[in-house]
Amino acid sequence: MTDYAHSDTAAKSRAEKARRLASYLWHLGVTGPELLAMPAATRRKLARAAETNPPSTEETWVTVAELLAEKDEWAARHPEHPAARRERTDEKLMWVKPPITPWS
């Protein structure tokens, strides 16, 4: 029986999905570690917000996190390049909540 999940077509599809998600998340300012720390339900909502079907494997999310790190490194080396500017960092708060400072 053919294993379609591990075919070249499936791998190409996963890579394209990872790139779409990474592009969307990078413009929000979400980092790889923040993404991987999110609950699965939040990640699924993020994927839908990116108009992408949520990945069914953790492997795809790890790939997205790696792509985010690569883009961060590239943007740090090329700060003046138009592609190094994030467009919607104000939306990050909807997805990644900052830690709450306890009352003194």
Side-chain angles (χ1 to χ4, degrees):
M1 180 158 192
T2 304
D3 181 8
Y4 295 104
H6 296 95
S7 68
D8 289 342
T9 303
K12 181 180 176 187
S13 177
R14 280 191 299 274
E16 288 173 5
K17 182 181 285 193
R19 282 191 299 274
R20 279 193 312 270
L21 289 168
S23 176
Y24 181 82
L25 294 172
W26 189 82
H27 283 289
L28 296 180
V30 175
T31 65
E34 290 170 336
L35 174 67
L36 296 177
M38 287 179 187
T42 302
R43 288 191 216 165
R44 286 190 299 273
K45 288 178 187 177
L46 260 172
R48 289 185 195 103
E51 298 179 359
T52 302
N53 287 330
S56 57
T57 66
E58 185 70 16
E59 176 185 6
T60 305
W61 288 114
V62 170
T63 301
V64 172
E66 291 168 354
L67 290 171
L68 289 169
E70 288 175 18
K71 178 72 176 200
D72 282 339
E73 291 169 7
W74 179 88
R77 290 191 312 271
H78 304 92
E80 300 303 318
H81 194 285
R85 291 189 207 111
R86 289 185 163 104
E87 298 171 358
R88 300 182 313 274
T89 55
D90 56 328
E91 296 176 31
K92 177 180 178 176
L93 188 58
M94 293 176 9
W95 304 104
V96 179
K97 309 293 188 236
I100 297 175
T101 307
W103 291 67
S104 300

